[in-house]
Amino acid sequence: MARPRARHAWWRDTRWQGIALQALALVAIAAVGLWLAHNAIGALSRRHVASGFAFLGHTAGFGISQVLIPYTEESSYGQAMWVGLVNTLVVSAVSIVLSTLIGFVVGIGRLSGNWLVAKLCTVYVETLRNIPLLLQVVFWYFGVLQTLPGPRDSLALGSWIVLNNRGVYVPEVIFAPGSWLVVLALAVGLAVFFALYGWAQRLQRKTGRRPTIWWAAPLLVIGLPALALFVERVPFALSWPQLAGFSYEGGLQINSELAGLTIALSIYTAAYIAEIVRAGLVSVARGQREAAEALGLRRGLALRLVLIPQAMRVIIPPLASEYLSLTKNSSLAIAIGYPDLVAVFAGTVLNQTGQAIEILSLTMAIYLALSLVTSALMNLYNRAHALEGLG
């Protein structure tokens, strides 16, 4: 006969004890948060400092040296915040692209059979990743770009690029009415080509036979936009930089601050990406390289078709961390006066309004959102890549 199961009081149940402890922890955290908020509100009230986000609609009254969206001194503090955010996004996006390209080249170079190339890449990595980023930003801006000659003695690379202590000038494309059709044709051509390429990849994995699609790239990516250009009678023009008085006019000017920050961020982050790429390539089994050589693939083809696709599963997670670090490191722009989000919003706007809690909270929330979006995109790419490998 089975003995009746002993029944304990509910407060002796470990499951209920765990729930109770978690509830107490939440209550303690909420109490600390309320106490901090109460103290902050009291301190602001005693100093007669306004709170809330109404200041975002007030007139800013100051100019910004580089604006990529409409902004004047009569614009609001909220618009100034958007200008700083766009500048941060621009320098981060350009630096991510450049650092990835340099990092892959240097990482592959470190495994080169050429002694000189391998040693030069090693020196690059060991030198640049051991020098503080702030020093590199200051060096490129004050030590290199600011020592260039003035506009009248500019360094010209042909008629395309002009360098002086005010920045870099390159030709600018002027969009005329009807240019949207050419851009749309290019977008459609690229979308159809990548869809066709994906279909060819899937068909090859299923049947082992790869359809011939070499004709698609020139027809869709070049032919379709060319047809739109012919229909709209070339709705574009080039604006060339030309010396006018004491400065250059026309063309696209890249300020010295933007150029210096981009160079420093790119080459510094590239040193870390190079090590990530090297570690990813080393992680691929030696048999894969030997199999590629047995098939008669040259080194470049073996890297592109066999080694790098397998190494990407190891490369992508730490690569995402480097992208996040680069975006956060862009806040060092304040050292050379580049008007990024921190310099404009958490600098000038904070000094004028004195609303530190609201401004710093918004700034931190924006950086957190940028990091989460970057992580989500890299995770999506990583998941898609992993599924391809399993298929």
Side-chain angles (χ1 to χ4, degrees):
M1 183 176 178
R3 297 179 59 184
R5 189 174 180 180
R7 301 177 65 86
H8 300 288
W10 64 271
W11 62 82
R12 293 184 177 177
D13 191 329
T14 55
R15 187 167 62 92
W16 285 107
Q17 289 176 354
I19 293 174
L21 286 175
Q22 293 179 53
L24 286 175
L26 285 176
V27 169
I29 293 172
V32 171
L34 288 174
W35 177 74
L36 291 174
H38 177 74
N39 278 359
I41 293 172
L44 292 174
S45 177
R46 285 192 296 275
R47 296 185 179 186
H48 304 290
V49 176
S51 59
F53 294 93
F55 73 94
L56 291 174
H58 299 168
T59 302
F62 63 89
I64 300 177
S65 60
Q66 176 172 317
V67 293
L68 299 175
I69 59 176
Y71 176 83
T72 64
E73 293 184 1
E74 286 73 32
S75 299
S76 64
Y77 286 126
Q79 188 68 7
M81 180 192 72
W82 285 112
V83 171
L85 175 58
V86 170
N87 288 343
T88 294
L89 292 176
V90 167
V91 74
S92 300
V94 174
S95 300
I96 283 175
V97 173
L98 292 177
S99 62
T100 303
L101 293 174
I102 299 171
F104 267 78
V105 171
V106 176
I108 293 172
R110 287 206 67 185
L111 299 175
S112 172
N114 187 304
W115 182 87
L116 181 60
V117 172
K119 293 303 177 186
L120 285 176
C121 293
T122 302
V123 169
Y124 175 91
V125 171
E126 297 300 333
T127 302
L128 292 176
R129 74 173 179 174
N130 289 312
I131 297 177
L133 176 58
L134 180 59
L135 284 180
Q136 296 192 38
V137 171
V138 171
F139 168 77
W140 282 105
Y141 180 67
F142 290 106
V144 177
L145 296 176
Q146 286 299 298
T147 59
L148 290 174
R152 288 182 178 275
D153 301 315
S154 298
L155 304 175
L157 305 178
S159 56
W160 291 84
I161 301 176
V162 177
L163 296 171
N164 58 48
N165 58 8
R166 296 187 181 180
V168 182
Y169 297 81
V170 295
E172 181 182 11
V173 178
I174 306 297
F175 292 88
S179 57
W180 64 270
L181 184 61
V182 182
V183 176
L184 179 63
L186 179 62
V188 171
L190 286 172
V192 174
F193 172 73
F194 282 115
L196 198 59
Y197 181 78
W199 167 77
Q201 293 279 80
R202 291 191 296 273
L203 186 64
Q204 185 180 18
R205 283 197 295 271
K206 285 183 179 179
T207 65
R209 184 179 62 84
R210 186 176 183 83
T212 304
I213 60 169
W214 60 266
W215 50 268
L219 184 64
L220 294 172
V221 181
I222 299 176
L224 204 56
L227 180 62
L229 280 172
F230 177 76
V231 171
E232 293 293 335
R233 298 183 180 179
V234 192
F236 296 102
L238 279 179
S239 172
W240 296 86
Q242 293 182 340
L243 183 63
F246 296 99
S247 183
Y248 270 82
E249 292 183 354
L252 177 64
Q253 180 187 6
I254 302 172
N255 291 341
S256 299
E257 293 82 5
L258 174 58
L261 183 64
T262 303
I263 294 172
L265 284 174
S266 300
I267 63 173
Y268 176 80
T269 309
Y272 288 91
I273 293 178
E275 282 300 272
I276 294 171
V277 171
R278 185 180 70 86
L281 291 173
V282 170
S283 70
V284 179
R286 181 184 295 272
Q288 296 294 317
R289 184 190 301 274
E290 294 172 351
E293 292 174 353
L295 289 173
L297 295 179
R298 296 191 300 273
R299 178 177 172 80
L301 281 177
L303 272 172
R304 186 166 62 87
L305 300 178
V306 179
L307 300 179
I308 290 179
Q310 297 185 64
M312 288 303 287
R313 297 184 182 90
V314 178
I315 291 173
I316 290 174
L319 191 62
S321 298
E322 289 304 320
Y323 290 166
L324 299 181
S325 297
L326 186 150
T327 304
K328 290 178 285 188
N329 286 338
S330 67
S331 60
L332 292 176
I334 197 170
I336 57 174
Y338 176 70
D340 76 325
L341 179 64
V342 174
V344 173
F345 194 54
T348 307
V349 176
L350 174 58
N351 288 332
Q352 289 193 359
T353 62
Q355 298 197 235
I357 295 177
E358 293 85 352
I359 290 176
L360 293 179
S361 299
L362 264 179
T363 306
M364 289 190 289
I366 289 172
Y367 273 101
L368 177 62
L370 291 178
S371 297
L372 292 178
V373 169
T374 304
S375 296
L377 293 176
M378 294 301 290
N379 287 337
L380 283 176
Y381 178 79
N382 193 23
R383 189 177 304 168
H385 208 74
L387 288 175
E388 281 185 9
L390 291 175

